Amino acid sequence: MASSSHTVAKTTDQINFTFTGGQKLLFGVLMLIGVICSALAFFNDPADEAINLHHSRFWTNFLHNSAFFGGLGFISLFLLCCKILAYSGWHTTFKRIWEAMMMFLPVSIVFFAILAIGNFAGFHHIYHWAAEGVTDPNNKEAYDSILAGKAPFLNPLMYLIFTVVIVLVWSAFAFILRARSKAEDKAKDGELSFFKKNKVLAAIFLPIGGFSSAAFIWLLLMSIDSHWYSTMYAWYVTASWLVSAVAFTILLLVYLKSKGYFPQVTKEHMHDLGKYLFGFSVFWTYLWFSQFMLIWYANVGEETVYFDLRIEEYPFLFYGNLVINFALPFIVLLANSTKRMTGTLVLVASLVFFGHWMDFFQMVKPGVYYENYKHLKHSHGHDGHHDEHHDTDTHLSDAHNHDAQAEGDDHSHAAVGGDHKGDNHDGHSKKAKSSRVGYAFPGFIEIGMMLGWLGLFLFVVFSGLARAQLVPTNDPYINESMHHHV
Amino acid sequence: MSAVVSPVREPLVTGSKTYHQITEDICAPTERMPGFSFMLGMLFSLLMLGFGAFCMVWTIWKGIGSWDLNRTIGWGWDITNFVWWVGIGHAGTLISAILLLFRQKWRTGVNRAAEAMTIFAVMCAAVFPGIHMGRIWVSFFIFPYPNTRGPLWVNFNSPLLWDVFAISTYFTVSLLFWYTGLVPDLATVRDRASGMRKKIYSIASFGWTGAAKHWSRWESLSLILAGMATPLVLSVHTIVSFDFATSVIPGWHTTIFPPYFVAGAIFSGFAMVQTLMLIARKVLKLEDYITIAHIESMNKVILLTGTIVGVAYLTELFIAWYSGYVYEQFAFYNRAVGIYWWSYLAMMSCNVLSPQIFWFKKARRSVVITFIMSILVNIGMWFERFVIIATTLARDYLPSSWSYYSPTWVEVGDYIFTFGLFFTLFLIFTRVAPVVAIAEIKSILKSGGDQYVGFEAERKKKEALESGEYASQH
């Protein structure tokens, strides 16, 4: 053991990472695509007003990608802190990847700040609770008693605190953690002070991260469907980030290995990451199922409205979510051998990464579109759009009656979805008719904007990797990690 | 397993043990006459079991009218105890299966006893739904099988039935897992025994010879059982949580219940493991195998799961307000400051506040504090279930049927019965089987023994290397 420090040096010839011009160009192009698609989304003027009311196509994509990629930063920090506290050793040789990923947190503050300021200034209409007059009882048109009740939490100031300020706090933790980890490289052999200090830091971060991320998620994502609530939601979103982060790690590692970096990362490490991808995918499914099943079984209108909207109007996303994010990793990665095949692992990781991006898509889009649609219907009166939506209405009310019959009479309070809503309408008849690109499923613009964010994310990660040793040679666990066997 | 171990890891076997010493130390309690403390413990357990058995007979003879359940509060101590015991029965399989997957070597010191505890706890849990049925002699009606009762069939839509499946599956797999692990160790005891003991252990160890083929099959079987046990750990308490969460009762119907119940179950399970192991390691002289490092690790798990449970409590409370749904808001208002406010207070202080003491290393490594904490956590987790069940039911939709519930002496006696059963079985276990997994401890000796790993061992090795002895030894 004592004699093995030379093996570290020998197996890590490529101890420093170079961020090449070609990579920079590629990420620049991706970001450019993102900017162009953002502009297209912003000025897009489709035939149906609802689809881009208040430029919502652009804004929902903006929120969607900010939440998804920002979350990757958060979960990397969270994962590192967990690993530090759990005395995990095997990941040490590639821990710099997570240290680089968490550096996206400070960058994502800009996006959250734009969204937060938007709530004050009203330049986006993602959140119905931020709309004018919803909490004002004198405003007969817009007043919503439920939202008025939630106003102490759902307001622009809270949003600012729990997105921008909290991400700022997370970033501070990320900076300190990374700085100490880097300082350890330069320290003398066997120096443990940085290791010990980071252990304390990780212990402080975990409860802070655990509590604050819930509020962050409620405001950022759950409040889009502003009446709806689920206690599971925050954990569900966190699990989605976790799977995406593991998938991204696998993809990045395979790419870097192909460039000659990380020769010491072997099939054993990939096997363990494959187990993570498998295990966390199953965990995500567990949370998905628990949330869905309990709401479906209890059949309370205030809660079922969320899934009803998604099943009826977004079936492709709703079922696709389960196929890509559960069935695929479960079936493919169940066997031992597939986790050790690079090609298979890359295929599954790519699909799952995209699948969880789609999961965020279905968290963001339906609520906003639904609200847009209601808004238009309000301002145009009921007659204007009646014919166009006749089919949907009949279909939905049929399904509804069927449910009510099956349930019997004792569930009368659940019979009408959202019957206590302040704006006093039947939730079902307002439902949007969709299967429209950009809302019911991602179109080129959505993919383009995602590529933009991906380019930026990769740029941040690669510059993070370039600014530190690729392998933490002085980490007390480095030898364990070098000799890792499953 | 990797032979390279970072010196920052604390040794898991102290006292520079050899393989032979491990066998001697762990087999010893099964080979000597039980001491005074054991007899005292056994006597006490049997007294509880005896009084409890009397109360059980009373319950069955008189019917559950002898309890204080009423029209409003249909579930009381019975289901509270049931959920509490099932929860405790989570630590064993978590340690043996999930910690195995996460390669936590410290599990080897406590897995055997924790698994045994799991099995006994699940048996205690099963008692309560059984007697709650009132007519226990027809309890076989809960199993779905072709019968002559015409259309009388189990309700597949009911989470209570899913419970039957989940718990019986969990019990079976846990038992198999535990026994599979025991086989090589029972053979070790057999090889050292003579006479009647030898015959009994021969049968119990299934003719184990320790051949390579045996070990290979044993490894495969353990892995398969671990794979099956892992989702089961999650599923059992998830389904127990469904008993409540699938309803439309405010305070019960909340989506966070499944993972939060599982976290709470692990929390209470580890607390019970601490309670038992702190005594067992002392009485059976196993301090070298269940070290302070083990206790500290378990305290960390207690801190973690206690805080997860805390996050869930606060989430529930917050979302109840956030929902804007007056019944939900009332349910939680009633929980915190209603007639049963004291049970909510007990739950919050024992489960969320008190484990925070484990942020301090001194507290995590103190046997006394750990023991007190393990009792507090078990009390707190009992109150959690009581809060969820009785508090919620006491204030239903119809104020005219609001009620109050406190147990009769029979209900208390039924609870004592399970304590008697649990401790009696556990005490017998410590006498007939190796309390620590001998084979598994041996497998981590080279990577966890204090003569091989840790700063002290590194220092000695360095000295030996410098003086030239190391080369001649290795």
Side-chain angles (χ1 to χ4, degrees):
Chain A
M1 238 170 295
S3 57
S4 53
S5 50
H6 71 273
T7 48
V8 178
K10 200 175 68 189
T11 51
T12 53
D13 296 330
Q14 301 239 17
I15 209 157
N16 289 312
F17 174 74
T18 331
F19 191 3
T20 63
Q23 286 160 344
K24 281 179 188 161
L25 184 70
L26 175 69
F27 302 155
V29 169
L30 286 177
M31 283 187 259
L32 191 68
I33 294 173
V35 172
I36 293 169
C37 288
S38 298
L40 283 174
F42 195 81
F43 297 111
N44 186 24
D45 193 15
D48 181 357
E49 289 173 84
I51 205 155
N52 210 7
L53 188 70
H54 309 301
H55 306 289
S56 60
R57 184 169 189 186
F58 167 77
W59 283 113
T60 46
N61 289 349
F62 187 92
L63 170 66
H64 170 204
N65 288 301
S66 306
F68 180 73
F69 287 99
L72 291 185
F74 166 75
I75 210 75
S76 307
L77 173 61
F78 198 79
L79 206 54
L80 273 174
C81 289
C82 291
K83 295 220 146 260
I84 289 171
L85 290 182
Y87 286 72
S88 168
W90 68 275
H91 73 289
T92 304
T93 162
F94 62 86
K95 76 168 185 178
R96 286 281 142 82
I97 287 187
W98 289 336
E99 286 180 13
M101 276 164 74
M102 72 189 180
M103 296 322 284
F104 193 71
L105 276 177
V107 179
S108 67
I109 291 175
V110 178
F111 302 125
F112 296 129
I114 293 171
L115 288 166
I117 294 164
N119 285 328
F120 287 106
F123 55 70
H124 65 69
H125 289 77
I126 299 172
Y127 303 106
H128 187 52
W129 50 264
E132 217 175 290
V134 287
T135 57
D136 177 14
N138 297 321
N139 189 333
K140 292 262 178 328
E141 274 290 293
Y143 180 68
D144 183 324
S145 61
I146 297 289
L147 292 185
K150 294 180 186 199
F153 183 66
L154 294 188
N155 62 59
L157 183 66
M158 276 297 203
Y159 191 92
L160 184 75
I161 294 171
F162 277 105
T163 56
V164 179
V165 179
I166 280 297
V167 178
L168 212 60
V169 172
W170 295 347
S171 308
F173 276 97
F175 269 118
I176 303 171
L177 192 83
R178 188 175 147 91
R180 283 179 186 160
S181 172
K182 275 164 74 176
E184 199 174 51
D185 292 344
K186 305 276 181 294
K188 64 179 185 356
D189 227 17
E191 170 72 51
L192 288 175
S193 62
F194 298 107
F195 164 75
K196 284 178 178 157
K197 277 192 206 155
N198 264 351
K199 214 153 66 171
V200 175
L201 191 77
I204 297 171
F205 177 74
L206 272 198
I208 292 177
F211 277 94
S212 60
S213 62
F216 174 77
I217 291 165
W218 292 333
L219 278 163
L220 201 70
L221 296 166
M222 193 166 89
S223 77
I224 297 171
D225 297 83
S226 54
H227 280 207
W228 185 77
Y229 57 90
S230 165
T231 41
M232 176 78 98
Y233 192 80
W235 292 5
Y236 168 75
V237 174
T238 312
S240 200
W241 280 335
L242 188 55
V243 182
S244 325
V246 171
F248 183 83
T249 310
I250 292 172
L251 295 174
L252 191 60
L253 259 178
V254 171
Y255 170 75
L256 291 175
K257 272 182 79 65
S258 77
K259 293 281 161 201
Y261 297 105
F262 290 121
Q264 75 283 11
V265 171
T266 62
K267 282 227 155 64
E268 310 290 330
H269 298 89
M270 299 314 285
H271 188 167
D272 269 357
L273 280 170
K275 283 184 201 164
Y276 268 16
L277 192 61
F278 172 83
F280 292 143
S281 290
V282 175
F283 180 66
W284 171 88
T285 315
Y286 165 65
L287 298 184
W288 183 96
F289 174 76
S290 299
Q291 176 167 275
F292 176 78
M293 198 283 261
L294 289 175
I295 288 175
W296 169 80
Y297 194 108
N299 201 17
V300 176
E302 284 86 348
E303 297 176 343
T304 48
V305 62
Y306 182 85
F307 288 114
D308 191 37
L309 182 65
R310 280 156 180 79
I311 293 173
E312 295 290 337
E313 308 287 327
Y314 299 81
F316 169 72
L317 277 182
F318 183 80
Y319 296 108
N321 200 2
L322 284 179
V323 172
I324 301 182
N325 294 331
F326 171 61
L328 174 87
F330 183 79
I331 293 166
V332 177
L333 295 180
L334 187 60
N336 233 1
S337 54
T338 45
K339 294 193 271 288
R340 300 176 80 86
M341 294 174 192
T342 310
T344 313
L345 206 53
V346 165
L347 181 74
V348 176
S350 327
L351 285 169
V352 165
F353 184 77
F354 187 68
H356 281 279
W357 181 81
M358 297 269 274
D359 187 20
F360 275 78
F361 184 96
Q362 65 87 33
M363 291 177 204
V364 172
K365 294 270 178 170
V368 178
Y369 191 35
Y370 180 64
E371 211 58 61
N372 280 353
Y373 201 78
K374 254 172 31 187
H375 182 81
L376 281 179
K377 229 173 175 179
H378 252 284
S379 50
H380 290 218
H382 283 249
D383 298 336
H385 283 254
H386 192 261
D387 290 345
E388 195 183 328
H389 300 285
H390 185 71
D391 290 352
T392 322
D393 287 353
T394 336
H395 166 66
L396 286 174
S397 47
D398 279 348
H400 185 63
N401 288 338
H402 174 71
D403 279 352
Q405 265 172 358
E407 272 307 305
D409 294 328
D410 52 343
H411 281 250
S412 51
H413 75 281
V416 180
D419 57 351
H420 66 287
K421 281 177 187 168
D423 46 0
N424 197 21
H425 55 70
D426 174 8
H428 288 302
S429 67
K430 299 288 173 190
K431 212 160 283 165
K433 190 170 176 184
S434 59
S435 60
R436 286 181 170 85
V437 173
Y439 275 86
F441 48 90
F444 282 117
I445 286 178
E446 277 66 37
I447 303 285
M449 281 178 77
M450 186 262 247
L451 290 178
W453 256 269
L454 184 67
L456 181 65
F457 186 74
L458 284 167
F459 191 88
V460 172
V461 172
F462 276 49
S463 20
L465 287 174
R467 284 201 308 273
Q469 252 178 243
L470 203 53
V471 180
T473 39
N474 258 346
D475 191 292
Y477 296 120
I478 189 69
N479 280 322
E480 275 189 19
S481 187
M482 293 283 192
H483 298 89
H484 180 57
H485 288 287
V486 173
Chain B
M1 264 184 202
S2 168
V4 180
V5 179
S6 170
V8 296
R9 293 192 196 278
E10 218 174 322
L12 295 170
V13 182
T14 56
S16 300
K17 300 290 178 191
T18 62
Y19 288 124
H20 179 62
Q21 274 172 312
I22 294 174
T23 312
E24 290 284 338
D25 289 350
I26 301 176
C27 288
T30 65
E31 290 166 351
R32 59 171 181 249
M33 281 306 284
F36 178 69
S37 51
F38 176 85
M39 289 306 202
L40 202 67
M42 198 66 184
L43 184 72
F44 191 62
S45 305
L46 286 173
L47 277 175
M48 286 201 290
L49 188 66
F51 173 68
F54 172 73
C55 293
M56 294 294 278
V57 172
W58 187 286
T59 301
I60 293 163
W61 193 263
K62 297 265 181 186
I64 48 172
S66 58
W67 295 352
D68 199 31
L69 296 178
N70 53 49
R71 207 165 43 122
T72 308
I73 305 170
W75 282 356
W77 271 45
D78 48 0
I79 303 300
T80 302
N81 297 339
F82 159 69
V83 180
W84 186 74
W85 276 120
V86 172
I88 287 171
H90 269 66
T93 313
L94 178 101
I95 291 173
S96 41
I98 294 184
L99 294 188
L100 175 76
L101 296 182
F102 281 111
R103 284 195 291 268
Q104 297 293 306
K105 288 182 205 157
W106 59 270
R107 58 176 272 286
T108 51
V110 289
N111 67 342
R112 170 70 46 75
E115 285 167 39
M117 184 212 78
T118 287
I119 290 158
F120 305 147
V122 174
M123 286 161 73
C124 291
V127 166
F128 289 101
I131 54 170
H132 183 79
M133 286 173 206
R135 279 172 272 178
I136 197 161
W137 50 93
V138 290
S139 59
F140 60 91
F141 280 21
I142 61 173
F143 295 106
Y145 65 97
N147 59 62
T148 53
R149 300 191 295 272
L152 198 56
W153 195 254
V154 291
N155 180 6
F156 284 104
N157 290 335
S158 166
L160 300 177
L161 180 71
W162 309 342
D163 255 350
V164 175
F165 302 146
I167 292 172
S168 51
T169 312
Y170 181 68
F171 181 76
T172 312
V173 171
S174 298
L175 188 70
L176 286 174
F177 203 3
W178 177 65
Y179 202 82
T180 306
L182 261 174
V183 168
D185 289 0
L186 291 175
T188 306
V189 179
R190 171 202 65 196
D191 293 344
R192 298 159 55 87
S194 58
M196 194 61 193
R197 275 189 86 232
K198 197 178 184 80
K199 278 200 183 117
I200 295 171
Y201 282 103
S202 290
I203 295 167
S205 57
F206 297 161
W208 178 273
T209 62
K213 200 84 195 164
H214 285 184
W215 281 111
S216 155
R217 283 179 182 148
W218 183 84
E219 293 271 353
S220 310
L221 181 61
S222 300
L223 203 65
I224 291 168
L225 286 172
M228 281 162 67
T230 302
L232 283 174
V233 176
L234 285 141
S235 82
V236 175
H237 232 55
T238 295
I239 288 171
V240 171
S241 83
F242 286 172
D243 292 347
F244 306 99
T246 50
S247 70
V248 289
I249 309 292
W252 283 9
H253 175 60
T254 178
T255 48
I256 209 170
F257 256 31
Y260 136 57
F261 263 51
V262 172
I266 294 163
F267 181 56
S268 64
F270 269 83
M272 189 57 102
V273 173
Q274 294 279 40
T275 312
L276 296 175
M277 294 323 281
L278 286 175
I279 299 171
R281 72 194 277 273
K282 188 86 195 154
V283 174
L284 306 175
K285 299 186 183 63
L286 294 171
E287 284 106 327
D288 282 332
Y289 305 98
I290 303 160
T291 65
I292 297 291
H294 289 85
I295 293 168
E296 190 183 3
S297 293
M298 288 195 278
N299 281 336
K300 284 177 183 168
V301 176
I302 288 177
L303 174 62
L304 173 74
T305 47
T307 311
I308 291 176
V309 168
V311 173
Y313 291 161
L314 296 181
T315 301
E316 274 191 331
L317 210 57
F318 175 79
I319 297 287
W321 167 78
Y322 176 87
S323 71
Y325 183 37
V326 286
Y327 297 102
E328 192 79 18
Q329 289 170 341
F330 174 76
F332 281 86
Y333 172 82
N334 174 51
R335 234 176 229 190
V337 296
I339 37 164
Y340 285 112
W341 62 272
W342 44 271
S343 58
Y344 191 77
L345 189 69
M347 164 187 115
M348 275 292 185
S349 47
C350 293
N351 290 351
V352 184
L353 297 179
S354 70
Q356 304 306 324
I357 197 178
F358 285 145
W359 284 106
F360 303 100
K361 196 179 179 99
K362 266 218 169 71
R364 285 199 302 265
R365 298 178 77 88
S366 154
V367 173
V368 177
I369 293 177
T370 304
F371 190 75
I372 296 170
M373 275 306 308
S374 72
I375 303 287
L376 280 182
V377 168
N378 273 315
I379 294 173
M381 283 310 289
W382 188 88
F383 271 110
E384 180 198 294
R385 279 64 177 253
F386 185 75
V387 164
I388 291 171
I389 295 169
T391 311
T392 309
L393 291 176
R395 293 286 176 269
D396 65 0
Y397 285 111
L398 205 60
S400 61
S401 51
W402 284 4
S403 178
Y404 191 81
Y405 158 83
S406 50
T408 62
W409 65 271
V410 186
E411 284 172 277
V412 178
D414 289 340
Y415 188 33
I416 290 173
F417 171 77
T418 49
F419 274 108
L421 182 67
F422 182 75
F423 287 115
T424 306
L425 290 171
F426 192 81
L427 285 169
I428 294 172
F429 158 73
T430 61
R431 284 294 139 190
V432 299
V435 176
V436 174
I438 303 173
E440 298 207 41
I441 285 286
K442 285 178 179 173
S443 77
I444 65 149
L445 183 63
K446 285 277 164 63
S447 58
D450 64 349
Q451 70 271 48
Y452 300 105
V453 299
F455 287 112
E456 187 60 16
E458 291 278 296
R459 196 180 53 76
K460 281 186 184 151
K461 216 177 293 172
K462 216 170 182 179
E463 274 174 18
L465 200 67
E466 275 154 17
S467 64
E469 283 170 36
Y470 189 81
S472 60
Q473 275 176 16
H474 295 262

